Amino acid sequence: MKEITAAVVEDDDEAREKLCSFLKKLGEEENLLFQVSAFSSPIEFIETYKTQYQLLFFDIAMPEMTGMQLAHEIRKTDNRTALIFVTSLAQYAIESYDVGASNYILKPLSYPEFKMKVLKVVLALPDLEEDTLLILNKSGSYKVELSDILYCETSGHMLIYHTQQGEYPQRETMKEAEKKLEGKGFCRINSCYLVNLVHVASIDPKEAVLKNGTRLQISRPRHREVVEAFRKVRSQKLL
């Protein structure tokens, strides 16, 4: 049974409950397990958001922040999670695709239409097990998406994974990490750093400049290799 994490952001109690019940019904019919978190406030949702969901359902007409505004905020750090708008405002259908919406469902909700559109999105979801990394340390275990990792750094006998959500240390060597992340868009730029090229903005003669402004030194022997790897990722439109 495939497990899918989903969040429903809907200020109307009845609509929110109906969405959750539709997901439960769809799961029973299609042998899927939806782990659903429901939010009545977009502010409450965004304050706890850490790209932990595979599927998002946003209403558009909500107080405090519209679903479209919420989507724009989410897309600043997350271009990967599937997003479906569920709303009575048909005029936003075109704008919804500007934030990479996977689909658009109009109210009042109809289960046959809901099933058809949601199942199409679900079947296109990537296998997250291939795109995540399990990190173990004294604080616990953490499943981190590879796309969230900025770079890895050696520190004594530990390796620190610097991510968009924070730092996660783990006792392992750089060679072990390099082997795990081989073919995933990461590049060793010196003895201390393994960088996710998706997050690199530019390559200077001596440094890799990340999109968040972090500058990491590139060793002279590796510079040509780093530049070639960076250009390859850009040509694949991963940046």
Side-chain angles (χ1 to χ4, degrees), residues 5-214:
T5 54
V8 173
V9 186
E10 166 65 75
D11 64 302
D12 182 87
D13 294 344
E14 183 178 348
R16 188 171 63 254
E17 290 174 6
K18 181 173 284 190
L19 277 170
C20 293
S21 67
F22 278 6
L23 285 170
K24 182 179 180 181
K25 183 177 181 180
L26 179 61
E28 292 170 348
E29 292 178 354
E30 300 297 328
N31 194 34
L32 300 168
L33 177 60
F34 286 96
Q35 299 284 6
V36 183
S37 299
F39 300 84
S40 60
S41 163
I43 301 299
E44 178 190 2
F45 169 77
I46 203 168
E47 286 178 347
T48 61
Y49 187 70
K50 293 183 179 179
T51 65
Q52 66 267 51
Y53 304 106
Q54 296 163 263
L55 187 57
L56 303 173
F57 293 87
F58 289 174
D59 183 21
I60 289 183
M62 293 187 289
E64 302 173 311
M65 176 184 288
T66 69
M68 198 61 68
Q69 290 172 327
L70 178 60
H72 280 288
E73 284 299 311
I74 293 299
R75 288 305 189 219
K76 289 180 181 179
T77 57
D78 176 12
N79 289 313
R80 187 171 181 272
T81 304
L83 169 61
I84 298 175
F85 285 108
V86 185
T87 181
S88 57
L89 302 174
Q91 64 266 34
Y92 286 99
I94 295 177
E95 187 180 350
S96 70
Y97 295 103
D98 291 339
V99 291
S102 299
N103 224 318
Y104 194 97
I105 303 175
L106 285 175
K107 297 176 181 177
L109 295 175
S110 160
Y111 180 71
E113 180 189 9
F114 177 89
K115 178 178 180 179
M116 176 185 68
K117 291 188 174 182
V118 174
L119 195 56
K120 182 178 180 180
V121 174
V122 166
L123 293 175
L125 289 175
D127 184 356
L128 291 189
E129 291 303 318
E130 296 181 359
D131 297 320
T132 60
L133 186 68
L134 184 64
I135 298 176
L136 304 172
N137 57 40
K138 293 180 179 179
S139 299
S141 60
Y142 306 89
K143 185 177 284 188
V144 177
E145 292 190 18
L146 299 188
S147 60
D148 285 340
I149 299 174
L150 304 174
Y151 64 98
C152 306
E153 176 186 13
T154 56
S155 178
H157 298 293
M158 305 293 288
L159 192 73
I160 300 174
Y161 288 86
H162 295 264
T163 78
Q164 295 185 102
Q165 279 69 50
E167 299 178 358
Y168 298 89
Q170 177 167 273
R171 183 173 290 276
E172 68 175 324
T173 66
M174 180 63 81
K175 285 187 177 180
E176 290 171 336
E178 196 172 12
K179 184 176 180 180
K180 286 191 299 186
L181 297 171
E182 185 177 359
K184 303 292 185 179
F186 287 76
C187 182
R188 182 86 167 264
I189 65 171
N190 63 28
S191 60
C192 297
Y193 299 124
L194 179 65
V195 177
N196 187 349
L197 293 173
V198 170
H199 294 288
V200 174
S202 62
I203 301 293
D204 288 350
K206 294 184 179 181
E207 296 176 315
V209 184
L210 274 57
K211 294 176 182 178
N212 67 359
T214 300

